[in-house]
Amino acid sequence: MSGSGTSAGLTPPADAVAPVRHPDAPAPGELLGAHYGQCFGCGGEQPHGLQLEARAGDGVSVTAEFTVRTAHQGAPGLAHGGVLATALDETLGSLNWLLRVISVTGRLETDFLLPVPVDTVLYLEAEVTALAGRKIYSTAIGRIGGPDGPVAVRADAVFIEVKVDHFIENGRPEEIQAAMNDPDQVRRVRAFEVNP
């Protein structure tokens, strides 16, 4: 898979290293699940959200899919470009599960190649291409008509590794407190593990 890679800020430096899948990463094919119920990208508690489902792939890659619904349209009958960018961003953010780091989007460059109609399933693939310090370089594509269909959207991104304090200091206090007070320890930890 290769993204557009046109911007200098999205090109890994010469001393970047190849990504390595963390030994505790989910197994290939495993559903990653939502990191936070209220997440617009993956949360099941967001009725108009993408409710995107990602699965661990081989190496440091993931696959995901979501169905474009009426609430996701921009022009009549077509997906809103911002929603498509969100789907790419969410899929790229899911790569964190395989590295076992917390990171946020630093830069996302998106190319829109084909219109994506309402009721279309968008099949997404993403992979980490390089690591340099706290920067995680990655690329993603979204296909229509099936997992091997034509590429409709693609993106290159740089994510920045952060500590959990980033969310605690910058998030809205009531949501942060609710997530931290969740009695389900796994859900509490997961709320802060992936790109918001």
Side-chain angles (χ1 to χ4, degrees):
M1 172 185 1
S2 102
S4 58
T6 56
S7 291
L10 294 169
T11 302
D15 62 348
V17 298
V20 176
R21 184 188 190 99
H22 192 280
D24 296 330
E30 186 175 331
L31 185 64
L32 300 178
H35 72 93
Y36 178 53
Q38 291 294 327
C39 176
F40 182 80
C42 67
E45 297 168 31
Q46 282 288 348
H48 297 297
L50 305 186
Q51 299 178 0
L52 185 136
E53 292 188 343
R55 291 186 182 278
D58 294 323
V60 189
S61 71
V62 297
T63 60
E65 57 185 64
F66 93 98
T67 301
V68 178
R69 297 188 313 267
T70 302
H72 302 142
Q73 66 188 315
L78 297 175
H80 189 288
V83 169
L84 297 175
T86 300
L88 289 161
D89 183 52
E90 186 67 32
T91 304
L92 289 158
S94 296
L95 292 164
N96 294 337
W97 293 111
L98 306 181
L99 297 172
R100 303 297 292 166
V101 299
I102 302 170
S103 70
V104 295
T105 310
R107 183 175 183 137
L108 178 71
E109 185 171 295
T110 307
D111 296 312
F112 303 94
L113 307 171
L114 295 172
V116 180
V118 170
D119 296 325
T120 296
V121 176
L122 190 64
Y123 298 88
L124 298 133
E125 306 168 33
E127 67 181 349
V128 176
T129 57
L131 304 172
R134 293 176 44 225
K135 293 183 177 180
I136 301 164
Y137 295 84
S138 53
T139 188
I141 57 173
R143 298 176 183 271
I144 56 175
D148 297 317
V151 175
V153 292
R154 65 181 176 215
D156 291 306
V158 176
F159 281 71
I160 310 298
E161 187 175 349
V162 297
K163 302 293 183 203
V164 72
D165 294 350
H166 168 84
F167 302 100
I168 294 169
E169 293 167 5
N170 296 293
R172 212 164 63 158
E174 50 268 36
E175 275 88 2
I176 296 296
Q177 198 58 52
M180 292 178 77
N181 289 341
D182 193 319
D184 183 332
Q185 183 177 3
V186 172
R187 261 196 348 217
R188 182 171 58 240
V189 170
R190 287 179 66 139
F192 299 101
E193 280 189 339
V194 187
N195 176 49

